[in-house]
Amino acid sequence: MKIYTSIYPKQLHLVILLFLTVITLSAQETDPVVRRVQTDTSETVLNMDATYNRPFLAFKKTTVALGGYLEVNSIYSGEDGVSEGLSFQARRLTIFMSASITKRIKFLSEIEFEDGAKEIAIEFAALDVALHPALNFRGGIILNPIGAFNQNHDGPKWEFVERPDVAVNLLPATWSNVGFGLYGRSFKENWIFGYEVYLTNGFDNSIIDNEENKTFLPAAKENEERFEESNSGKALLTGKIAIKYSKIGEIGFSYMGGVYNKFEEDGLTLDEKRRVDVFAIDINTTIKKTRTNIVGEVAFINVDVPDTFTQQYGSKQWGVFVDVVQPILTRKILNWENATLNVAARFDYVDWNVGTFNETNTEIGEQLVAITPAISFRPSPQTVFRLNYRYQWQKDILNNPAAKTASWLFGISTYF
Amino acid sequence: MYKPIKMKNSIHLIGAFIVLALTVACERTLPYAPAENELLDGPIDGLTTEEQAMFLRGDEAFSDVFTIAKGLGPIFVANQCSSCHPGDGKGSPFVRFTRFGQPDTLGNQYLDFGAPQLQHKAIPGFLPERLPLGATFTDLIAPAVTGLGFLDAVSDADLIALSDPNDLDGDGISGRPHWNTIPEYAVLRPNSISNNGRYISRFGKKGNAYDLLHQTSGAYNQDIGITSLFEPFDPLTGLEEDPEVSTQTVNDVVFYLKTLKAPIQRNENDPEVIAGKLVFAQIQCASCHRPTLQTGFSPIDVLSNKEFHPYTDLLLHDMGPGLDDDYTEGFALTSEWRTPPLWGLGLSKDAQGGDYFLMHDGRALSIEEAIILHGGEAGEAKNRYTLLPEIERQQLIKFLESL
């Protein structure tokens, strides 16, 4: 949900106050009132646990915990010889707060300020009721579990300043909606099995009618009404299963789909019911011997676009990203006990319009390829300094010569 | 077992990191700009800062995407100028459109059926137009929009001087200006000449648009379904609507079109290209595709009294039965087409997805095919081309690719 600061200055003050509280509290780490809760790095967590598995500051005698992270960076980029110059970006400040209401009822919320305070969004605000480890109820504003990035998107967890293209420019990232659902896990020796299934509000016509001029699921994030009513009058179903074998890694299969368009209003038919269906697979594995971490996600999208609308908006899309992160040094550096230096690389590919033109039977373009070598330095697991060089080739719909963009990004991301 | 590297001093590490961060902020790691003559877009050199600002506004509007909320449709062909004129170049058959309903110079007989232009796309929930049974039609592919300010600023007198409607010189090539009725909102160019209340219109494949304002407001309306002060009628309902694009924006786009640079020739000193240029003149191509024209006065300083090289005469020519689609506009005959400028020809592929789609409907898939399709007044030039020795044909093509 986007709240514009100019219209809601009060809320803004409130959140800033909250933020300042967090800062002051975190500054007094020795104070016994506050305790730092580190993330669970054990092998018993799944990507889907990411919303809870974060460093928090817990307060003594209360069940309230606070946390958050900040991402800032500088960027120097140019496209086809035209330099965009050097900019500094305050990408996001996110604050989370959790509370255990009773032993089995928890509440967690996450509020994000993007690009300064241009956009403020409640990304997550849900109540979890544990009935059994294999059966929990969740209701509120939830992150739809499509792929893994959407739920596991905290900046400090990644070695790259930019988010993966498949996650932000194909799938919507930090795609949250109001709804209800169930989730659970079960453990057996080295195996963990997890599932989630939710019914929420969902997409709207903007996915095939937007300024990007291509089928673009993230366009639906602009629609603030989705926190009030479902645009199509139908629910969006999102479901995921994840399996983890502690010695190898995790694989997740997720699906999200439903009717996206407003096909009737006041009982009058406006259009046929049109569906959007998304299928994603995510993996996360660490090669024990070399400590090489590999994370990736692939997503396929099918959208029912009317035949009589323009082919500018494709009905099939897919994309993939793979990150390889190699720690090359883990030791005491300066005064940091457990510092790590990593080299990493990312590969991004997105095809927004799979298919051929009706008129010419030739391939439709609208693809992006990018590679991003990176170096990152983590004085502690919670904080990362990262230097990325990203080179991108992007083709227009007609497959004309690709526009080439290169960027240098230097950034800091840290939990607090 | 994996062994971490040991470094003597962590300071080195941090230092290396910072030095790397600083040194990399270096232009050399960014992609090179393609050479200026490899691109069609960009402004004419020498615009004032004020003019450049207007150019930039027009540039933005030219690639503005029309969504339904911004007025797209309900029926339309494409949703932005730059879908059809990508990078200011020629369009692809993907966004080719159809005009129908006028088989002679007596006007369009299908105005009640959505003529002249077929909007074959519709926003969800609406039905697009269908071609009425029995209507004659032509398909049109978008031309490049570069250097149009120069073409716009050629005086009427110059065009009349180039024409030879009765072929008095007996070279088989006549060529006449399109004396046409003009829209009420058109502002006459300086020293314009009238002929029985009609004026010379020069843009579009049939030369049916008087000036760039006429062409632009028509494009908003007929191609995108956008109403303006100038063309206020919705193409679906025929009803007058509030403007969906501001007059300021239309003016900015017109200014942008006027100040897009003329395409720059490449390899002009290559001996093959020089030889090809000679062949071009010898076999009469240059009688229609005039290498050099001259602008008259223009309120935009850089356009005033300039010589330029568009390879067109902006006149209508009878191109023979092969290119006659039984459809026309204004007072042109169905077999008549306005000579298209050949500047930028070699760069067309970069806008058309890597292949050539030439002639009014893109039916020619190579330059050679385009030449072979010439007939009528250009039949003799075509014949001469086919009789050329292979080597000269290649030189000619090389020359055309250099444009």
Side-chain angles (χ1 to χ4, degrees):
Chain A
M1 178 162 80
K2 265 191 290 163
I3 302 167
Y4 288 97
T5 48
S6 52
I7 317 175
Y8 298 98
K10 275 190 197 139
Q11 276 95 327
L12 180 64
H13 288 163
L14 207 77
V15 190
I16 289 174
L17 203 74
L18 196 79
F19 170 60
L20 289 176
T21 323
V22 176
I23 301 265
T24 2
L25 289 174
S26 53
Q28 312 164 344
E29 236 183 299
T30 45
D31 189 330
V33 175
V34 191
R35 186 170 48 89
R36 199 171 263 286
V37 184
Q38 300 296 358
T39 45
D40 182 355
T41 51
S42 73
E43 279 149 358
T44 60
V45 289
L46 296 168
N47 277 323
M48 59 176 70
D49 300 313
T51 32
Y52 275 101
N53 187 26
R54 292 159 151 166
F56 274 101
L57 298 167
F59 303 94
K60 209 176 173 186
K61 294 201 190 120
T62 74
T63 57
V64 177
L66 275 178
Y69 68 90
L70 173 76
E71 270 188 287
V72 289
N73 67 276
S74 64
I75 177 167
Y76 180 76
S77 70
E79 179 180 320
D80 290 338
V82 184
S83 168
E84 295 286 323
L86 179 70
S87 302
F88 298 91
Q89 305 175 310
R91 295 239 178 173
R92 50 188 74 85
L93 167 69
T94 299
I95 292 166
F96 15 93
M97 186 171 61
S98 77
S100 292
I101 297 165
T102 73
K103 208 172 170 204
R104 291 191 165 188
I105 303 182
K106 279 192 288 188
F107 170 81
L108 178 88
S109 68
E110 174 176 348
I111 295 170
E112 180 174 275
F113 300 78
E114 286 207 317
D115 302 328
K118 214 160 74 187
E119 286 183 13
I120 303 176
I122 301 177
E123 275 185 357
F124 190 90
L127 196 70
D128 282 25
V129 183
L131 305 168
H132 180 272
L135 188 66
N136 300 266
F137 168 86
R138 176 175 286 173
I141 296 176
I142 62 135
L143 284 162
N144 298 63
I146 185 73
F149 187 89
N150 199 38
Q151 287 175 308
N152 193 10
H153 61 256
D154 288 4
K157 291 189 175 166
W158 301 82
E159 316 313 305
F160 302 89
V161 174
E162 298 285 1
R163 294 174 162 188
D165 282 290
V166 61
V168 287
N169 290 320
L170 189 73
L171 301 174
T174 61
W175 168 237
S176 49
N177 282 293
V178 196
F180 300 96
L182 300 171
Y183 69 90
R185 346 200 147 331
S186 87
F187 302 83
K188 196 162 193 195
E189 285 158 26
N190 288 324
W191 293 86
I192 315 173
F193 170 82
Y195 75 91
E196 293 181 272
V197 52
Y198 302 104
L199 287 177
T200 63
N201 287 344
F203 293 97
D204 59 68
N205 293 49
S206 70
I207 66 174
I208 60 153
D209 177 32
N210 55 62
E211 305 267 334
E212 294 286 328
N213 212 5
K214 51 183 168 244
T215 298
F216 198 63
L217 268 47
K221 283 180 68 182
E222 304 288 317
N223 184 359
E224 293 144 38
E225 315 262 285
R226 74 180 198 277
F227 292 97
E228 259 170 58
E229 64 171 333
S230 160
N231 174 74
S232 64
K234 300 271 171 198
L236 179 72
L237 171 72
T238 314
K240 177 166 186 179
I241 51 172
I243 302 158
K244 183 166 179 174
Y245 181 63
S246 61
K247 292 196 173 116
I248 300 178
E250 173 179 348
I251 184 163
F253 300 90
S254 45
Y255 165 80
M256 171 168 76
V259 174
Y260 68 89
N261 67 330
K262 190 170 246 147
F263 56 92
E264 62 178 21
E265 190 160 7
D266 291 344
L268 301 179
T269 306
L270 300 177
D271 193 6
E272 291 168 32
K273 281 183 204 161
R274 301 192 187 276
R275 289 186 61 86
V276 51
D277 293 285
V278 186
F279 179 66
I281 303 173
D282 57 87
I283 55 145
N284 185 346
T285 179
T286 302
I287 302 171
K288 284 257 155 66
K289 203 166 162 194
T290 56
R291 295 198 297 154
T292 314
N293 180 232
I294 301 166
V295 177
E297 196 165 314
V298 53
F300 303 89
I301 299 174
N302 261 307
V303 181
D304 176 2
V305 180
D307 291 338
T308 50
F309 198 42
T310 162
Q311 263 192 303
Q312 192 80 42
Y313 295 98
S315 52
K316 279 198 170 65
Q317 307 184 305
W318 83 280
V320 61
F321 90 87
V322 181
D323 283 3
V324 180
V325 180
Q326 177 63 57
I328 51 169
L329 192 69
T330 304
R331 48 169 284 194
K332 182 172 172 174
I333 297 174
L334 294 180
N335 259 337
W336 292 299
E337 281 301 332
N338 200 12
T340 314
L341 185 73
N342 300 300
V343 290
R346 168 175 290 167
F347 172 77
D348 282 297
Y349 177 82
V350 173
D351 186 343
W352 286 280
N353 200 335
V354 179
T356 53
F357 288 113
N358 297 337
E359 289 80 3
T360 53
N361 235 339
T362 51
E363 287 288 315
I364 300 178
E366 212 83 272
Q367 293 127 0
L368 175 146
V369 178
I371 45 169
T372 313
I375 303 176
S376 70
F377 174 65
R378 291 179 177 272
S380 89
Q382 265 91 294
T383 302
V384 56
F385 292 81
R386 41 198 181 191
L387 176 66
N388 301 171
Y389 174 71
R390 177 183 157 101
Y391 203 95
Q392 167 189 310
W393 296 261
Q394 187 163 3
K395 286 210 165 181
D396 70 1
I397 186 163
L398 297 171
N399 270 317
N400 287 318
K404 301 184 206 89
T405 314
S407 327
W408 281 100
L409 301 122
F410 177 72
I412 306 171
S413 187
T414 185
Y415 283 111
F416 48 74
Chain B
M1 185 58 203
Y2 167 82
K3 270 198 206 100
I5 307 164
K6 285 228 167 88
M7 219 189 248
K8 284 236 172 82
N9 195 337
S10 320
I11 283 286
H12 288 170
L13 196 72
I14 308 291
F17 200 77
I18 291 170
V19 169
L20 197 69
L22 291 176
T23 49
V24 294
C26 162
E27 295 271 348
R28 250 183 302 168
T29 55
L30 301 183
Y32 288 113
E36 187 68 355
N37 60 14
E38 296 286 339
L39 292 176
L40 288 175
D41 58 0
I44 310 177
D45 280 339
L47 295 183
T48 64
T49 48
E50 202 180 338
E51 288 169 340
Q52 287 191 4
M54 198 158 168
F55 175 90
L56 283 174
R57 287 204 303 271
D59 191 1
E60 205 164 288
F62 195 76
S63 45
D64 195 20
V65 179
F66 282 88
T67 57
I68 296 168
K70 280 157 89 175
L72 174 67
I75 53 173
F76 65 99
V77 183
N79 59 3
Q80 58 179 164
C81 306
S82 57
S83 320
C84 297
H85 304 280
D88 301 312
K90 278 196 206 303
S92 124
F94 161 54
V95 279
R96 179 159 50 196
F97 63 62
T98 302
R99 293 212 184 120
F100 64 97
Q102 184 176 344
D104 49 40
T105 55
L106 301 174
N108 201 302
Q109 300 162 4
Y110 286 83
L111 292 178
D112 292 340
F113 298 87
Q117 195 162 311
L118 191 76
Q119 281 84 25
H120 69 306
K121 300 287 175 199
I123 63 173
F126 284 77
L127 286 179
E129 285 179 341
R130 303 279 275 299
L131 191 64
L133 226 63
T136 58
F137 66 93
T138 192
D139 290 330
L140 298 177
I141 202 160
V145 291
T146 45
L148 296 180
F150 292 98
L151 296 176
D152 185 56
V154 176
S155 73
D156 284 358
D158 280 7
L159 297 186
I160 292 169
L162 290 177
S163 69
D164 182 14
N166 302 313
D167 193 17
L168 296 178
D169 64 5
D171 65 353
I173 296 177
S174 41
R176 61 185 188 105
H178 190 167
W179 294 104
N180 204 356
T181 50
I182 62 171
E184 270 170 42
Y185 55 79
V187 181
L188 292 178
R189 30 175 88 72
N191 304 319
S192 65
I193 296 170
S194 104
N195 182 350
N196 291 324
R198 296 202 218 143
Y199 291 87
I200 299 177
S201 62
R202 59 180 74 184
F203 292 108
K205 309 249 169 178
K206 294 275 185 192
N208 192 45
Y210 178 68
D211 59 8
L212 294 169
L213 175 62
H214 186 190
Q215 183 77 43
T216 299
S217 18
Y220 271 121
N221 189 258
Q222 293 293 308
D223 302 351
I224 316 182
I226 294 295
T227 52
S228 62
L229 181 71
F230 309 104
E231 299 284 349
F233 300 102
D234 179 77
L236 176 64
T237 61
L239 297 175
E240 189 164 343
E241 281 186 358
D242 294 333
E244 290 164 326
V245 60
S246 76
T247 306
Q248 161 90 55
T249 300
V250 176
N251 288 337
D252 288 344
V253 170
V254 169
F255 186 85
Y256 168 75
L257 293 169
K258 279 190 184 168
T259 49
L260 272 170
K261 73 173 191 230
I264 305 166
Q265 195 184 358
R266 296 157 310 286
N267 312 320
E268 69 251 58
N269 299 322
D270 180 327
E272 298 275 287
V273 169
I274 295 171
K277 187 171 183 177
L278 227 65
V279 176
F280 185 78
Q282 278 162 4
I283 64 170
Q284 253 193 349
C285 308
S287 306
C288 298
H289 297 284
R290 298 273 176 174
T292 304
L293 295 179
Q294 176 94 31
T295 61
F297 166 80
S298 165
I300 302 167
D301 211 33
V302 287
L303 289 173
S304 267
N305 305 309
K306 290 274 154 40
E307 204 180 85
F308 64 103
H309 308 288
Y311 299 90
T312 176
D313 56 5
L314 296 175
L315 301 175
L316 293 175
H317 294 276
D318 183 336
M319 294 297 286
L323 292 170
D324 185 342
D325 291 340
D326 261 332
Y327 166 82
T328 195
E329 291 167 3
F331 299 90
L333 302 175
T334 53
S335 60
E336 280 181 320
W337 298 96
R338 187 210 63 175
T339 314
L342 297 182
W343 58 10
L345 184 69
L347 299 178
S348 329
K349 284 189 297 189
D350 288 354
Q352 297 186 299
D355 298 308
Y356 278 115
F357 296 97
L358 301 175
M359 306 304 267
H360 63 273
D361 51 5
R363 69 175 80 170
L365 303 181
S366 67
I367 294 179
E368 169 139 46
E369 267 184 60
I371 300 172
I372 301 297
L373 285 168
H374 282 58
E377 290 175 40
E380 182 54 26
K382 190 265 302 285
N383 291 339
R384 290 192 197 179
Y385 170 80
T386 52
L387 295 174
L388 285 178
E390 178 63 26
I391 180 153
E392 289 186 15
R393 269 194 256 173
Q394 277 174 14
Q395 287 167 339
L396 178 69
I397 303 286
K398 260 212 142 150
F399 162 69
L400 291 168
E401 280 172 343
S402 79
L403 293 179

